[in-house]
Amino acid sequence: MESAAATTQRGRPREFCLEGALAAALRVFWSKGYEGATLTDLTDAMGVTRPSLYAAFGNKESLFRQALDLYEREKLAYVSAALEAPTARGVAERMLRGGLDVQTSGVDPKGCLGVISSVACGTEAECIRAEVLKRRESSNNALLARMRRAKADGDFPAHVQPEAMVAYLGAVLQGLCIQGGSGAPPEAMRDVVETTLALWPGR
């Protein structure tokens, strides 16, 4: 297990788990957003001192970027798997059910780290907002390419445009994140998923 030397308040070195500390930081950012998470919140949750945080992860911005990497690897892994589905409807189903699983998990915070941090960033954290939006654009571009292929494969009726379906799916997924963050019952969010799939055009 990867670890790093940390310094206690009395100056004595000790070891801490980098992965565990980063996971704790992710939960803080996920719950409070980038600007809402103070250094005290982060060090308390991670079980490290400020000098140890800086030595292991850099500054707060660097720590957030690493937490965002972890979030994408672990919590959004369903997105890349969804793009491998054989039909556009299969892509949508995997993405919707993956997003639903995240929002109904009994372990993690609710809402979306990207949405929370892009909406709740002021001018001083504009670089964070830009980073989140850049990653979202990259994900949307991959989804758009998949939906364009689905259109070429005949998954959609002639009048349905891939760009519109990507925007529609994104709106539903963000809606699930907002509902999850506001404490909506899991049954209500499942109904949203099932209704969306029932209304999905094509095969």
Side-chain angles (χ1 to χ4, degrees):
M1 180 178 297
E2 188 176 6
S3 63
T7 304
T8 66
Q9 291 180 346
R10 295 183 179 180
R12 294 177 304 188
R14 66 181 175 86
E15 296 292 315
F16 70 90
C17 172
L18 284 173
E19 293 92 340
L22 185 58
L26 169 58
R27 288 191 292 272
V28 174
F29 284 128
W30 196 349
S31 298
K32 300 189 175 186
Y34 177 77
E35 288 190 320
T38 67
L39 283 174
T40 299
D41 292 332
L42 291 164
T43 54
D44 285 351
M46 297 166 72
V48 301
T49 63
R50 290 194 184 191
S52 298
L53 185 155
Y54 294 137
F57 300 103
N59 58 17
K60 181 183 176 184
E61 178 183 334
S62 175
L63 176 61
F64 177 81
R65 291 175 189 272
Q66 293 174 69
L68 192 56
D69 289 339
L70 178 62
Y71 178 75
E72 292 179 343
R73 287 197 307 270
E74 292 190 351
K75 309 306 178 182
L76 301 184
Y78 66 87
V79 174
S80 57
L83 297 178
E84 301 300 321
T87 65
R89 190 184 189 283
V91 172
E93 181 168 10
R94 290 185 186 183
M95 291 194 70
L96 288 166
R97 296 200 188 285
L100 178 64
D101 286 345
V102 171
Q103 297 309 317
T104 55
S105 166
V107 177
D108 297 316
K110 302 301 180 286
C112 172
L113 175 61
V115 172
I116 293 169
S117 297
S118 64
V119 173
C121 280
T123 54
E124 293 183 359
E126 184 60 31
C127 59
I128 291 297
R129 183 174 184 275
E131 174 72 15
V132 170
L133 293 178
K134 181 180 72 173
R135 295 188 187 210
R136 185 183 303 167
E137 181 181 10
S138 176
S139 179
N140 282 345
N141 287 341
L143 180 58
L144 179 57
R146 179 64 185 87
M147 290 300 171
R148 284 173 173 165
R149 179 158 62 89
K151 174 78 171 182
D153 291 342
D155 283 357
F156 293 126
H159 69 279
V160 173
Q161 297 302 314
E163 293 82 359
M165 297 312 298
V166 170
Y168 171 52
L169 186 56
V172 175
L173 285 166
Q174 286 195 16
L176 286 174
C177 290
I178 292 171
Q179 289 187 347
S182 63
E187 296 77 13
M189 290 186 284
R190 290 191 186 96
D191 287 344
V192 170
V193 169
E194 297 303 329
T195 299
T196 302
L197 292 174
L199 295 173
W200 190 265
R203 60 190 177 92

